[in-house]
Amino acid sequence: MNGRTGNGQAGGGAARRRRALVALFVMALMAGILFYVFAGESGGAEGRSDAQNVAAGCAPTESDPGGTTAYTPDAPVRGDLGDGLVISGTVREAGTCEPIEDARVQVWLATSEGGEYDPDNRGSVLTDGRGRYRIETYPVVPLYGEPNVHVAYDDGEYEAVFRRLVIDRDDADLTTNFVLEPNG
Amino acid sequence: MGSDEKRRGASRLVPGLVAALLLVPVVVALTSPHLANAPAARLVATATGVLALGLLVFQVVLPGRPRWLVRAAGAGLMRLHRVIAIAVVGLVLAHVGALFVYSPDDTLFALSPAAPAYSRLGVVASFCLALTVALSLGWRRLGLGRPEWRALHLALAGAILGTAFAHGFMVQGALDGLLGTLLLYAGLAVAGASILYTVISRSLRARGRLASRRASEEPSP
């Protein structure tokens, strides 16, 4: 009788330990899920205005996670790709803050006309004497879950920068400015 | 109508009804303007993702053993639960595979920790699904008792559904619009109610068993 009671208590203790371990595992799993999902940043913002860039001493622009997806080097320089979304900005040199002329900026995005890989949705544009670029496309549509526009500097004169900017599909303009670091 | 006739009627009607309900969101998604002129890989990715979500809802209805399903499937309910689990795993693999075929770059980014929250939710849902399948095969070997396994399974089922539906709600695309949103809410409501029904009915059954055991153990006066 005593032996049975002792075994029962030992068995009850093991069961309690198992339950506690399972409860701990579930709590750790839920905490891990919440941390993984909500701790990271998502979606590139348009970033600093040109005036803010100058005021901040022209710190280099950083690439966004996913900025290089569906990238094709040396996209041809061409005119507007469509109408409805104007993508523009200014390109400056880090440190000196001087505008960069003839910097090549590439744009690619998914539109109602096709996906990111569609050659009609991809094109490069050169900056003018004041470092400004402008290209018009059809409005962006969601691809891989959100409307995202790729804008990159990639002509090799400076360190390449790849932005992946998340906007609303109804947005008619997107301004993103670049501050480039010399290669090196 | 006799019970055999009822069973035969249910076994013919219920599978057709369930299949039709599962196809509704797939048709809504595939006919969305968002997928107009989309290549086959994107259509496959959308259809498999939406169907997996629908099957997950049906999956959590089964353990509650509602009468209409017991009539239709009889003793095969839990076998069906395992078959659906395998089907959902296959559909999730096909979903990711089709996305990869469409754009390897975008898919690798979507699977990375730097991806947007809705992508990370999809990754977490897939991870919890894989963990559930692995644990369902090995919970006895881990020395878990049935109550612990059930609690673990319930927590994982909640995590899979919560993250998978959050993924579905947050992804902009084929289920945008009133009908798609309503279908997502309806699926979430059915899944939530089913889990609640399972937990309550199991608890009531366990109490009933305990009460009848106590009654039988009481010495007669």
Side-chain angles (χ1 to χ4, degrees), chain A residues 18 37 116-117 144-145 169, chain B residues 99 103 118 120 143 172 176:
Chain A
R18 276 202 309 269
V37 171
E116 280 180 349
Y117 288 97
Y144 277 73
R169 64 179 95 182
Chain B
L99 287 172
S103 174
Y118 62 84
R120 296 199 294 270
Q172 295 182 50
D176 287 357

Side-chain angles (χ1 to χ4, degrees), chain B residues 56-71 73-74 76-78 80-81 84 150 153-154 157 161 190-206 209:
Chain B
L56 278 177
V57 175
F58 184 53
Q59 181 76 323
V60 294
V61 173
L62 298 178
R65 307 179 66 79
R67 250 179 236 163
W68 57 275
L69 255 178
V70 173
R71 263 189 210 139
L77 263 190
M78 290 326 284
L80 187 60
H81 191 68
I84 290 175
R150 278 193 168 161
H153 192 22
L154 185 68
L161 277 165
V190 170
S194 300
I195 289 181
L196 207 60
Y197 176 79
T198 302
V199 171
I200 291 170
S201 62
R202 273 186 182 162
S203 165
L204 289 177
R205 276 203 295 269
R209 275 199 298 272

Side-chain angles (χ1 to χ4, degrees), chain B residues 4-5 8 25 28 57 62 67 74 92 94-96 119 125 135 140 152-153 157 160 168 182 188 194 202 204 212:
Chain B
D4 277 355
E5 275 177 77
R8 272 198 297 275
V28 168
V57 175
L62 298 178
R67 250 179 236 163
V92 170
H95 176 65
V96 177
S119 289
L135 282 172
R140 287 190 183 86
L152 195 55
H153 192 22
I160 293 168
L182 281 177
L188 189 59
S194 300
R202 273 186 182 162
L204 289 177
S212 62

Side-chain angles (χ1 to χ4, degrees), chain B residues 81-133:
Chain B
H81 191 68
R82 284 189 284 272
V83 169
I84 290 175
I86 293 165
V88 171
V89 170
L91 285 167
V92 170
L93 289 173
H95 176 65
V96 177
L99 287 172
F100 188 81
V101 168
Y102 177 65
S103 174
D105 274 2
D106 280 298
T107 307
L108 292 176
F109 172 57
L111 295 174
S112 76
Y118 62 84
S119 289
R120 296 199 294 270
L121 282 161
V123 170
V124 168
S126 308
F127 168 76
C128 290
L129 179 67
L131 187 62
T132 308
V133 171

Side-chain angles (χ1 to χ4, degrees), chain A residues 15 18-19 22 25-26 29-30 33 35-43 65-71 112 114-117 141-148 150 164 166-169, chain B residues 34 42 99-100 102-107 109-121 123-124 127-128 131 135 143-145 148 151-152 155-156 159 163 170-173 176:
Chain A
R18 276 202 309 269
R19 268 174 227 159
V22 167
F25 176 77
V26 169
L29 182 73
M30 297 306 159
I33 289 173
F35 180 78
Y36 184 74
V37 171
F38 296 107
E41 288 178 28
S42 57
T68 56
T69 59
Y71 169 63
S112 55
E116 280 180 349
Y117 288 97
V141 296
L143 187 70
Y144 277 73
E146 61 191 2
N148 61 90
H150 292 270
R164 179 184 182 275
V166 178
I167 61 173
D168 287 333
R169 64 179 95 182
Chain B
H34 179 72
R42 278 184 70 195
L99 287 172
F100 188 81
Y102 177 65
S103 174
D105 274 2
D106 280 298
T107 307
F109 172 57
L111 295 174
S112 76
Y118 62 84
S119 289
R120 296 199 294 270
L121 282 161
V123 170
V124 168
F127 168 76
C128 290
L131 187 62
L135 282 172
L144 295 177
E148 289 95 36
L152 195 55
L156 283 166
T163 50
M170 289 170 75
V171 163
Q172 295 182 50
D176 287 357

